[in-house]
Amino acid sequence: MGREGGGASGRGRCVAGPGACRRRPPVAGLGGLGLWLQPGMADSAQAQKLVYLVTGGCGFLGEHVVRMLLQQEPQLRELRIFDLHLGPWLEELKTGPVQVTAIQGDVTQAHEVAAAVAGAHVVIHTAGLVDVFGKTSPETIHEVNVQGTRNVIEACVQTGTRFLVYTSSMEVVGPNIKGQPFYRGNENTPYEAVHRHPYPCSKALAEQLVLEANGRKVLGGLPLVTCALRPTGIYGEGHQIMRDFYHQGLRLGGRLFRAIPASVEHGRVYVGNVAWMHVLVARELQHRAALMGGQVYFCYDNSPYKSYEDFNMEFLGPCGLRLVGTRPLLPYWLLLFLAALNVLLQWLLRPLLLYAPLLNPYTLAMANTTFTVSTDKARRHFGYEPLFSWEESRTRTIRWVQAVEGSAQ
Ligand SMILES: NC(=O)c1ccc[n+]([C@@H]2O[C@H](COP(=O)([O-])OP(=O)(O)OC[C@H]3O[C@@H](n4cnc5c(N)ncnc54)[C@H](O)[C@@H]3O)[C@@H](O)[C@H]2O)c1
Ligand SMILES: CC(C)CCC[C@@H](C)[C@H]1CC[C@H]2[C@@H]3[C@H](O)C=C4C[C@@H](O)CC[C@]4(C)[C@H]3CC[C@]12C
């Protein structure tokens, strides 16, 4: 098979700023819900010899990747979890047969990264600053997402780690600054990937570094094998923005008010399937380096194509919320005005407090631009099939929102 790249390669321009799977269905969830099997229950008949490192392993996606590895990767001997903030839930993982090593560290510190990477066979680099709300400075976003990724690559080269999986983002491709739709596109769909916001700029630069590092000689002389996964908007247990919308709906008397036309499709993917894709890609990269090295893959599953708000209602509806209006209740120009006002308020209030509402010109543009993916590249290259059906993904997410509600009372 020839190499695939092309259209939606995401090696876009930043116009501003710095730039035969063994299925074991999880049975219980995150955050004390007990939705997963106990750690280390992977088949002990297979040799446990590999050391994996997950950066950002205590984040929303990272925690799912960690739990999925413990459950679905039989070759695992040691799992290193590297994060700026370590979660207390890590303790419960330390009792299983796989050695779980928690490392508190900062990806911007090259020596800390090198120490964590030394001796690892595979690195899954999910650590990043996800900020489209203006909470952090563009410089910090760049430092963590770009320099942090550079540090991970250099650590692999210096210490002899050969396999690197990078969690990129759909935003490496778009929506672009022109707001052009990307309708059910794949990794080869032509699209003008031009960004201005610091977050997509940083993800695009970091992805480029990772892909360009494919083939570099690591300590010992063998080539580094890298690839990048590009999730669309991830949802599922632990999704902070879903929690924010839920609480906002409760404050508004069980109602949310439609702001985006129902016709705008926004790509979403279940966190368990994104985690599963990371586990599979990390495993198969070791066997299919020639095919998979230097490649990008969108993360996809069978979640339906809907607008951002209609999709959220799949979970918030059964939890008692109602989306008011079949059309946006406010005209677009007024939303844009409010979004701009929020930017001004953020700037004015900065010396006193951090004002970072969900609505700003960038998030409004994202929510208002169709961006959906339809591809089978991951199936063709490494046999990916979603581990969780849409019904399971939906049920798990609803259960989690209900548990959030319960714990808030
Ligand atoms: N959430 C989404 O919808 C989405 C979609 C596409 C891609 N992604 C990507 O997936 C990855 C994980 O995102 P998430 O939603 O789980 O975010 P998250 O904020 O929940 O997790 C990121 C983790 O990285 C850690 N981290 C941040 N700065 C660090 C540093 N300097 N050193 C070490 N660790 C650091 C954080 O402590 C956190 O645990 C990110 O790279 C993000 O760009 C997320
Ligand atoms: C009109 C407004 C009130 C609606 C605001 C919704 C807004 C907060 C949502 C819409 C789209 C969301 C992003 C999208 O799902 C994809 C990603 C990619 C990922 O890499 C990081 C998260 C992000 C940016 C989502 C953030 C929240 C957004 C902007």
Side-chain angles (χ1 to χ4, degrees), residues 56 58-62 82-85 105-108 126-130 144 167-170 199 203 231-234:
C58 292
F60 165 45
L61 172 61
F82 181 95
D83 204 300
L84 206 49
H85 307 288
D106 184 341
V107 288
T108 68
T126 76
L129 253 178
V130 185
V144 173
T167 314
S168 183
S169 168
M170 73 183 235
Y199 173 72
K203 295 301 285 186
T232 53
I234 306 173

Side-chain angles (χ1 to χ4, degrees), residues 212-223:
E212 285 173 1
N214 183 59
R216 272 184 73 181
K217 296 277 181 291
V218 305
L219 182 75
L222 291 169

Side-chain angles (χ1 to χ4, degrees), residues 284-301:
E284 294 304 321
L285 206 51
Q286 301 168 55
H287 308 297
R288 306 183 201 198
L291 173 67
M292 294 169 61
Q295 293 286 329
V296 297
Y297 301 94
F298 277 122
C299 293
Y300 56 91
D301 61 13

Side-chain angles (χ1 to χ4, degrees), residues 50-169:
L50 296 183
V51 178
Y52 274 57
L53 169 71
V54 180
T55 70
C58 292
F60 165 45
L61 172 61
E63 180 175 350
H64 284 267
V65 171
V66 161
R67 292 182 186 271
M68 187 66 77
L69 276 169
L70 288 171
Q71 190 200 321
Q72 298 280 0
E73 185 41 68
Q75 300 223 22
L76 202 57
R77 170 165 61 81
E78 182 189 348
L79 179 55
R80 299 181 188 164
I81 299 156
F82 181 95
D83 204 300
L84 206 49
H85 307 288
L86 297 176
W89 55 272
L90 288 174
E91 289 310 311
E92 91 201 40
L93 305 181
K94 291 184 178 166
T95 52
V98 173
Q99 183 188 333
V100 172
T101 312
I103 307 167
Q104 196 267 324
D106 184 341
V107 288
T108 68
Q109 300 304 310
H111 63 284
E112 294 182 12
V113 178
V117 169
H121 298 95
V122 180
V123 175
I124 300 181
H125 177 40
T126 76
L129 253 178
V130 185
D131 182 13
V132 291
F133 306 110
K135 293 180 185 168
T136 349
S137 72
E139 292 75 22
T140 307
I141 293 176
H142 184 85
E143 186 65 13
V144 173
N145 293 355
V146 183
Q147 187 56 40
T149 301
R150 195 176 279 126
N151 290 342
V152 170
I153 294 167
E154 292 309 319
C156 289
V157 170
Q158 284 160 20
T159 67
T161 296
R162 284 201 57 212
F163 301 100
L164 171 61
V165 177
Y166 174 61
T167 314
S168 183
S169 168

Side-chain angles (χ1 to χ4, degrees), residues 130 132-133 169 171 199 233 241 259-260 266 308 359 363-364 366-367:
V130 185
V132 291
F133 306 110
S169 168
E171 285 195 77
Y199 173 72
I241 301 176
I260 301 153
H266 189 84
Y308 190 78
L359 180 66
T363 58
L364 182 63
M366 275 214 79

Side-chain angles (χ1 to χ4, degrees), residues 37-52:
L37 287 175
Q38 288 306 301
M41 291 188 72
D43 212 336
S44 53
Q46 297 201 40
Q48 293 177 297
K49 54 182 184 186
L50 296 183
V51 178
Y52 274 57

